[in-house]
Structure formats: structure tokens, C-alpha cells
Amino acid sequence: NSSIRILSELLKQGGYATHMVGKWHLGYCNPRYLPNNRGFDSFFGQYTHKTDYYSRKLTFERSPRYKNADAYDLQKNSNVTFEGEGEFSTDLYTRKAAKVIKKHPSSKPLFLYLAYQAPHMPFT
């Protein structure tokens, strides 16, 4: 429900620069659910929860409609990006978050939400 305001929207309203790096996982079936429409000035990461840590690919194994179909999930704002292909997602997200911090002017408050993919199922 995009009418319920989340932290990034409130902080942006309060004058913060708001950035997100990592796993979004709060909905992507409608553009109004995407990070840049939920108060984030920038977004670099994935919309889904189980992409490969290196290739950013995922397979829809259990979907009757898309049985064994492959997809790719790495976004920069609302665009697909292939940056960091072959790089472990934790390293990629750390690098991108550090870049946000380094480029940010110290005179303005910063909210950076960094959501790593690594502590996620499956553990195989």
C-alpha cells in the first residue's frame, strides 16, 4: 500500500538526502512501489530476493506460468544495469554504498539504507 509512508519518505520530507543500495523486496509489480517512488533519491540493487550473488539471474522454478524461465535483476534507479557483473553482491553493494557516502556533502543530512542479500535463504 503506497499510501502508507515509509521512513525514506519521511526523512526526505525532513531535508535528508535518501539513498538505497541492496535488496528492495517491498514490491515491484507497480511502479509506485519502486524505491525511487518511495522516497529514495537513488537506488542501486535488486527488486527480488533470490538472485544469484554473482550473475544477478534467477529462475522461476515453481511458477506454473513461467516454469524454469530465467530473469535478470539488477537496477540502477529504474533501469537495468550490468555493472559489477561477476562481482559478489556483498562486495558490489558495499562499494556502491561507500561511493554514496564519499560523494555526499557533509552539510546535508544523509539517510543510506544498505540491505545486503547475503544473509538470505536458500543456504545451499
Side-chain angles (χ1 to χ4, degrees), residues 45-49 51 56-58 71-75 93:
Q46 62 195 76
Y47 293 150
T48 61
H49 66 287
T51 61
R56 321 301 177 236
K57 293 181 182 176
L58 66 146
Y72 180 86
D73 184 18
L74 187 63
Q75 319 294 321
Y93 293 158

Side-chain angles (χ1 to χ4, degrees), residues 2 4 10 22 28 32-33 38 41-42 45 48 51 68 72 88 91:
S2 60
I4 299 171
L10 297 170
Y28 56 92
R32 71 178 180 254
Y33 298 137
R38 296 304 312 261
D41 296 320
S42 72
T48 61
T51 61
N68 294 321
Y72 180 86
F88 184 55
D91 295 336

Side-chain angles (χ1 to χ4, degrees), residues 34-63:
L34 300 179
N36 295 110
N37 296 326
R38 296 304 312 261
F40 287 103
D41 296 320
S42 72
F43 169 68
F44 183 91
Q46 62 195 76
Y47 293 150
T48 61
H49 66 287
K50 61 184 271 188
T51 61
D52 183 85
Y53 296 113
Y54 295 92
S55 70
R56 321 301 177 236
K57 293 181 182 176
L58 66 146
T59 302
F60 295 97
E61 297 167 355
R62 296 186 181 149
S63 170

